[in-house]
């Protein structure tokens, strides 16, 4: 019967670990060592400023709208940075002889087809880099946004 007692012992240890984990996480949330995801700023404002439900809703809308605008500005910045990078490479290439351009295309523009993306570009399709052969044509400049 030692196998049966091992099962019971494992079960008791497992349940004990779950209960201890639950108690510790409850205390951590209660004492603000841990926070519920997404509730930080609005919850703090609600507690400290005693917001009305309408104010909470308005502040939530403002913060969501601001987050969207910040993400959009970052995308535009990344796009502009990408354009400037390719314009610079194109200017460098224009200084080179045709033989140097072939080497430049092979050794200096091709690596960015695989290593130039860091996941922070928008997905509009304008981040595809030119092929290794031919001039590294930068994407057309984005129209100024006012």
């Amino acid at each position: 019967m030692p196998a049966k007692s091992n099962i019971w012992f494992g079960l008791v240890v497992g349940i004990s670990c779950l209960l201890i984990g639950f108690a510790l996480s409850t205390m951590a949330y209660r004492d603000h060592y841990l926070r519920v995801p997404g509730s930080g700023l609005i919850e703090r404002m609600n507690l400290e400023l005693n917001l009305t439900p309408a104010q909470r809703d308005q502040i939530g809308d403002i913060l969501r709208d601001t987050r969207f605008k910040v993400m959009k500005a970052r995308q535009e910045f990344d796009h502009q940075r990408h354009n400037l990078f390719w314009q610079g490479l194109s200017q460098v290439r224009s200084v080179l002889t045709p033989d140097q351009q072939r080497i430049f295309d092979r050794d200096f523009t091709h690596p960015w087809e695989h290593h130039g993306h860091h996941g922070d570009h928008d997905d509009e399709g304008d981040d595809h880099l030119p092929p290794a052969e031919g001039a590294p044509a930068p994407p057309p400049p984005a129209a100024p946004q006012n």
Side-chain angles (χ1 to χ4, degrees):
M1 287 283 178
K4 193 171 186 177
S5 64
N6 285 343
I7 291 173
W8 281 108
F9 179 74
L11 194 59
V12 168
V13 168
I15 291 173
S16 298
C17 289
L18 287 173
L19 291 174
I20 291 169
F22 177 74
L24 289 175
S25 65
T26 300
M27 289 183 342
Y29 280 111
R30 184 188 66 213
D31 296 335
H32 301 288
Y33 291 114
L34 295 176
R35 292 188 181 160
V36 177
S39 67
L41 183 60
I42 295 175
E43 187 60 33
R44 182 174 162 218
M45 292 173 108
N46 187 40
L47 291 173
E48 294 183 24
L49 301 174
N50 195 24
L51 301 175
T52 66
Q55 288 173 317
R56 276 195 309 269
D57 291 344
Q58 285 180 306
I59 291 169
D61 291 343
I62 291 167
L63 292 178
R64 276 187 294 281
D65 184 52
T66 301
R67 183 181 311 128
F68 174 77
K69 288 176 182 176
V70 168
M71 289 171 48
K72 183 72 173 156
R74 181 175 179 173
Q75 288 175 344
E76 290 169 3
F77 170 78
D78 287 343
H79 179 74
Q80 187 175 25
R81 183 184 65 185
H82 179 84
N83 286 341
L84 291 171
F85 174 78
W86 281 104
Q87 288 171 4
L89 282 181
S90 182
Q91 289 173 347
V92 167
R93 189 179 189 280
S94 71
V95 173
L96 305 175
T97 66
D99 288 337
Q100 290 172 322
Q101 287 177 354
R102 281 190 288 281
I103 295 168
F104 178 81
D105 293 343
R106 183 191 68 217
D107 295 343
F108 294 95
T109 61
H110 184 68
W112 282 287
E113 288 183 27
H114 302 289
H115 301 293
H117 297 284
H118 298 290
D120 58 351
H121 296 292
D122 55 9
D123 292 327
E124 296 175 4
D126 58 355
D127 285 333
H128 297 290
L129 305 181
E133 294 300 318
Q145 300 203 359
N146 294 332

